[in-house]
Structures are given as C-alpha cells and as structure tokens.
Amino acid sequence: MTKKPLEIRKTLSRNLKGQRKKMGFTQDKLAEISGLSIQTINDIEGGRKWVSDKTITRLSTALHIECFQLLMPDLVNQNNKETPSTKKILELMKKLKSKVNYDIEALFTDFLKI
C-alpha cells in the first residue's frame, strides 16, 4: 500500500486543527458551525477518518477558507504563518477572481449598450 493516502490524511488533520485553532474554535464550535458531529471532527483531526468532498466543503466553509487549503501540505508553518507557496496561490486566486469579475462587468456593459 502506498504512503500517499496516509500523508494526505495527516495533512488534512494538521491543517484542520491548525485553522480551527487560528479561528479560535473548539471542536464543539466547529462541529456546530459545520453541521458535523464532534466525534467526526475529532476523528478527522486524529487522522482516524477520511472524509467526502461534501465534508471538506462544509469544513472549509465553516473555517472561511478554500477547500484546497485543507489538503495542501505545509499550509501553515511552525510560526503559524502561511507558507510562500500558499500565499502565491491565494494571491493568484484573488487576481483570477478580480479578472473574472472585471470581464463579466465588461461583457454586461457591452451587452447593455446594444
């Protein structure tokens, strides 16, 4: 069996716990906000349970982050700061969203001129 699934599970566990603490949430509070059970949160953080895409979405929404951030290795370094690679990805996402919003506005403006 490959080590990859175990590494991903550990990454999810570490990132979930780190972001939860960063937000000042207890497991109980995160469970309440996400609609998951406390046991599920505890099992994910303990690396004992893998989750569905729906669960990752619920957790990321509750923690106000993107889904991919829960699965990226080294999302948070030892000093609880975002790593350079994570910052670059988040900056790129902001630029892309800004560009898409601008393009949509431009298309609607052109459309309304007709």
Side-chain angles (χ1 to χ4, degrees), residues 7-8 11 22-23 31 37 40 44 52 55 73 81 83 94 99 105 107 110:
E7 289 174 27
I8 295 170
T11 298
K22 184 177 175 183
M23 296 289 293
S37 72
T40 297
I44 297 167
S52 69
T55 300
K81 295 182 182 173
T83 61
K94 287 178 187 175
K99 176 79 171 132
E105 268 186 51
L107 289 171
D110 289 346

Side-chain angles (χ1 to χ4, degrees), residues 74-109:
D74 300 322
L75 170 65
V76 178
N77 68 16
Q78 304 297 344
N79 299 321
N80 208 22
K81 295 182 182 173
E82 291 174 345
T83 61
S85 61
T86 303
K87 283 184 180 180
K88 286 180 184 177
I89 290 172
L90 292 173
E91 287 171 9
L92 177 61
M93 284 184 62
K94 287 178 187 175
K95 287 179 184 176
L96 288 171
K97 284 180 182 178
S98 168
K99 176 79 171 132
V100 167
N101 288 341
Y102 175 78
D103 288 347
I104 290 171
E105 268 186 51
L107 289 171
F108 271 109
T109 301

Side-chain angles (χ1 to χ4, degrees), residues 12 34 36 51-68 70-71:
L12 173 62
S34 67
L36 301 169
V51 295
S52 69
D53 56 336
K54 291 177 185 177
T55 300
I56 290 174
T57 300
R58 290 169 84 172
L59 290 168
S60 65
T61 300
L63 295 168
H64 306 289
I65 58 174
E66 300 291 332
C67 293
F68 78 89
L70 287 173
L71 301 172

Side-chain angles (χ1 to χ4, degrees), residues 9-26:
R9 190 178 294 191
K10 285 181 181 179
T11 298
L12 173 62
S13 170
R14 185 173 45 251
N15 289 343
L16 177 61
K17 187 174 185 176
Q19 186 65 23
R20 176 180 62 77
K21 287 185 173 191
K22 184 177 175 183
M23 296 289 293
F25 294 162
T26 61

